[in-house]
Amino acid sequence: MCGIVGLKNFYGIPKKSDQIRVESGLKTQTHRGPDNTRAAVFGTTVLGHNRLAILDLDERSNQPFFDPSGRYALIFNGEIYNYPELKNDLLKKGVQFNTASDTEVLLYHMIHHGENGINVLEGCFAFAFYDQQEDELLLVRDQLGINPLLFSIQENEVIFASELSPFKTLLSTWEINSPALNAYFQYTYVPAPDTILVGVHKLLPGHYLKVKGNAIDILQYYSVRDAKKVDLPYGEAVKEVKRKLESAVIKRLNADVPIGTFLSGGVDSSIVSQITADFKTSLNTFSIGFVGNEFLDESAYAKNVAEHIGSRHFPIQLEKEKVIASFQEVLNSFDEPFADSSAVAMYFLSRAAKEEVTVCLSGDGADELFAGYNKHKAYQRSKKPGVLLKVASKLAKQLPGGKRSGQLTNRIRQMKKFGALLQEKWPASYWMLASFISNERRGQLLLQNEPYQSSIQPGKDSLNDFLKTDQEFVLPNDMLKKVDMMSMRHSLEVRAPFLDRELVDFVNGLPEEYKLQGNNGKRILRDAFREVLPDEVFSRSKKGFEIPLHDWIESTWQEVVNPKWFDTSFIEEQNVFSCSGVEQLKADFEQGKEEEATVTMWAFIVFQNWYDRWTEK
C-alpha cells in the first residue's frame, strides 16, 4: 500500500505552482508511504507518490516509475498478486526487467495491453498510468474497491489522490456536499461516488477514468453482478471454497517484510490465520479486547485459536486511560467524516500490529460474501416471520433501551429493528437495514434534510442480490474504507483473501441456501473448515467489531469535544446544523437510553473535528 497524488492539465505543461500543490498534497498523506516521497512533471501531468516498501525494498522501485523510452509513467498504490504470471508473459515478449517489484510489471503490462489489460489484474490497486505521446491518463481502481481513489474534474485539469486530505491543497475553493452529509448522517459514512465535498468524487470499484487531451470518460470493467451461476452439488462446492480460499491466502503471503494476521477468534479471521499458519513457519497474530467490558471482549476466543494454530499471539487490551490519551489522534485520522465506531478499535489494532509486522491478513469481506451478518438472517426471516416474531417485535417497540451493552438490551435493539423491517418493502428494506440514524433524527439535526439517492440498484428481492448490494455499497464505503484509513495511518498494509476475485465470482454464483440456511449463516464456509478449527469458533454467536462507544465518548468529552460546537452563534455561522436539533441530541445522549443518540453524537463529533481541521489555515 502507498499513496498517490497528481493532476493532469487539459491545456499545456503544468506550472511550477502545480508541482508545489501536488507536493503539498503528498505531505498530508505521508503516513501512507513513509519510505519515499517524490513528485515529477511528466508531459501534461504532475505525478506524486508516497511509498510504503513491500516488494523489492531497493530505491530502484521508487515511484513515479518511468519506462526507458520516456513515453510512459506510472504511480501505483497496492499489490498485483498475479504479477509473477504477468511477468512471465512479458518476458516471452522480450521485456527486460530491472527490479523485482510488481510496479515494473504493472507498467509494462499496461504498455503492452492498455485498457484491455485492466480486467486481468488480480489484487488491490489504485493507479495512474500516463502515455505522454497520446496525452492519455488512466485512473484505475480495483474490482472490489479495496484501495481508494478520489478525483475532481476542474475547468482546466483533473486532480486525484488516495485520500481527501490532499484536496485541501489541490482545490482553490470548496463547499460541503449536502446530499453526502445526509448520507453520512444516515449510514455513518459517505458512499461512493460522493465525498463530503462538492465536486470531489470517489472512483467506483471496478471502474477506470480515461482522460485523453481534455476528453473524459468513466468506464466500468467489472461488476459482482456479472458472476455466472455455479451448478455444483453442495459437497463439491464446499471443497472448491476451501481450495480457492487457500489459494487466495497463499497469493497474499508474498512480501519482503514481516507478515501477520488479525485474529478475533471469529470464523473469518480464524480461518485466514489457520491457513496462513499452515504455510508460514512462524506467524504473529493480533487481537483486541476491552478491559472491563465482557460483552464486547472476545480476546479469550482469539487466544484459544492462537494456541490451536501455534501462532505468536499479541492480545491488545484497551484500557480506558490508554484510549483517552490517544482519542484525539484517532479523530485526526479521518480524512473525511466517518462514524463507524469500530474504526476506533481498528486504529489501536493497527498501531500495535505495526510494531511487529508491515503486512497483515484480515477476514474482511467474508460476511458480505457468505451472509454473515444478523441483518441477512433478519431479511430472510422477514419473508416468513410467523406470529411469534411479529408479536415479539411489536412488544419490543414499547420497551425502553436498545443498546449493544448487554445481551438483553442488544436483543431489544434487534427486535425493534426487525419490527421496523416488517413495515418495509424491497428495496426500501435494504436501505433501512443499512441505516443507523433515522430520518426523524436527521430531520431534527440538519438544516437541509434531503433523502440520499444511491446510484447502486439493489436488484431482485433475493438474498444473493442483497449480498451483492452489500459488496457494492457497505463493503467498499464502510468496511474497506475503515481498514484502509486506520491501517495506513500507521503505514500497515492489510490484505483481504476473501476478496480474491476468483473466490468472489465463485461464491456469488452459488445458490443462496449454500450460504444461509435457517439460522446457519456462512454455512458453506463453516463446513469447509469445520474439521481444522475448534468447535467454539463455529458455535458462538457473532458480535461484530464493536466498542463501548458511549462510555468512551463520555470519558474523553473534556479532551476532544470543543464547547463551541454546541454554541448557538457557531452553529448559526456554520449553517449546517439546527440549533434546537443539536441541543436535543446533547440531551438525548446524556440520558444514554437509545443507541441512536450515541451513534449520532459520535457522527456529530467526528464531523465537527474534521470541519475544524479542514477550515484551519
Side-chain angles (χ1 to χ4, degrees), residues 176 447 564-577 582 604 607-612 615:
I176 297 293
L447 289 178
K564 78 173 182 181
W565 298 343
F566 298 91
D567 182 76
T568 301
S569 59
F570 172 77
I571 296 170
E572 289 177 346
E573 183 183 349
Q574 191 180 30
N575 200 33
V576 173
F577 300 104
V582 172
F604 179 77
F607 176 85
Q608 293 291 32
N609 177 274
W610 171 85
Y611 187 86
D612 279 357
T615 54

Side-chain angles (χ1 to χ4, degrees), residues 3-6 21-31 37-39 47-50 166 169:
I4 63 175
V5 181
R21 285 160 62 211
V22 170
E23 289 172 344
S24 299
L26 286 170
K27 289 176 183 176
T28 69
Q29 57 175 39
T30 51
H31 49 271
T37 296
R38 187 160 66 101
L47 302 175
H49 190 260
N50 308 104
T169 66

Side-chain angles (χ1 to χ4, degrees), residues 245-522:
L245 184 55
E246 287 173 344
S247 173
V249 171
I250 292 167
K251 287 180 197 174
R252 285 156 180 79
L253 296 181
N254 189 14
D256 297 327
V257 291
I259 293 180
T261 68
F262 292 148
L263 176 59
S264 70
V267 173
D268 315 328
S269 64
S270 296
I271 289 172
V272 169
S273 298
Q274 170 71 68
I275 298 170
T276 305
D278 287 342
F279 292 96
K280 279 187 69 68
T281 52
S282 61
L283 175 65
N284 293 334
T285 53
F286 305 87
S287 68
I288 198 156
F290 307 105
V291 176
N293 193 313
E294 293 182 6
F295 179 70
L296 296 176
D297 192 344
E298 299 184 296
S299 54
Y301 299 109
K303 182 174 178 288
N304 292 342
V305 174
E307 290 176 356
H308 176 80
I309 66 176
S311 67
R312 181 179 173 226
H313 190 57
F314 295 84
I316 298 100
Q317 288 293 318
L318 286 183
E319 299 172 350
K320 192 184 295 185
E321 293 73 22
K322 290 181 181 178
V323 172
I324 292 171
S326 299
F327 219 63
Q328 187 61 55
E329 294 173 28
V330 174
L331 285 167
N332 292 346
S333 301
F334 297 115
D335 65 319
E336 80 169 335
F338 182 89
D340 178 343
S341 60
S342 62
V344 181
M346 180 55 68
Y347 175 93
F348 290 104
L349 182 61
S350 298
R351 186 174 73 176
K354 179 60 180 180
E355 293 179 7
E356 303 292 333
V357 300
T358 307
V359 174
C360 260
L361 272 61
S362 79
D364 292 302
D367 288 311
E368 292 82 2
L369 268 180
F370 293 97
Y373 292 128
N374 288 326
K375 68 177 180 179
H376 298 141
K377 297 174 186 176
Y379 165 76
Q380 287 291 72
R381 285 178 191 156
S382 70
K383 292 178 175 288
K384 294 180 180 178
V387 177
L388 281 176
L389 265 180
K390 285 182 179 178
V391 171
S393 61
K394 284 183 180 178
L395 287 174
K397 196 174 180 181
Q398 313 303 320
L399 295 173
K403 297 162 65 178
R404 297 177 193 258
S405 55
Q407 289 186 351
L408 178 60
T409 56
N410 192 45
R411 182 52 58 92
I412 292 171
R413 179 191 66 82
Q414 289 174 340
M415 291 308 298
K416 283 183 175 182
K417 195 153 189 175
F418 187 76
L421 173 63
L422 293 178
Q423 308 303 311
E424 300 286 355
K425 292 183 179 179
W426 184 266
S429 55
Y430 178 85
W431 301 116
M432 178 248 140
L433 286 171
S435 302
F436 289 92
I437 300 172
S438 68
N439 186 51
E440 181 184 6
R441 172 72 69 181
R442 202 162 55 254
Q444 290 176 352
L445 187 62
L446 298 178
L447 289 178
Q448 294 184 2
N449 178 28
E450 45 193 284
Y452 179 76
Q453 296 294 322
S454 172
S455 60
I456 291 170
Q457 301 298 317
K460 297 176 183 176
D461 186 1
S462 70
L463 178 64
N464 268 341
D465 273 31
F466 192 117
L467 294 175
K468 289 171 187 174
T469 308
D470 270 358
Q471 291 163 38
E472 291 179 324
F473 188 77
V474 178
L475 184 62
N477 297 311
D478 185 0
M479 304 305 169
L480 297 176
K481 164 73 174 176
K482 166 187 69 184
V483 173
D484 177 84
M485 185 167 48
M486 291 311 186
S487 63
M488 291 309 295
R489 188 69 179 182
H490 301 286
S491 307
L492 177 76
E493 178 177 300
V494 177
R495 300 176 177 180
F498 281 106
L499 298 183
D500 182 85
R501 177 177 169 175
E502 187 182 344
L503 177 66
V504 168
D505 288 343
F506 179 77
V507 175
N508 280 335
L510 291 173
E512 56 188 39
E513 62 269 20
Y514 284 16
K515 304 161 199 176
L516 176 59
Q517 188 175 57
N519 203 40
N520 186 18
K522 292 193 268 203

Side-chain angles (χ1 to χ4, degrees), residues 139-141 149-151 201-205 207-209 218:
L139 299 178
V140 186
R141 191 179 184 195
L149 185 52
L150 288 70
F151 69 95
H201 311 283
K202 300 178 181 108
L203 188 62
L204 287 167
H207 285 67
Y208 67 97
L209 183 147
I218 298 177

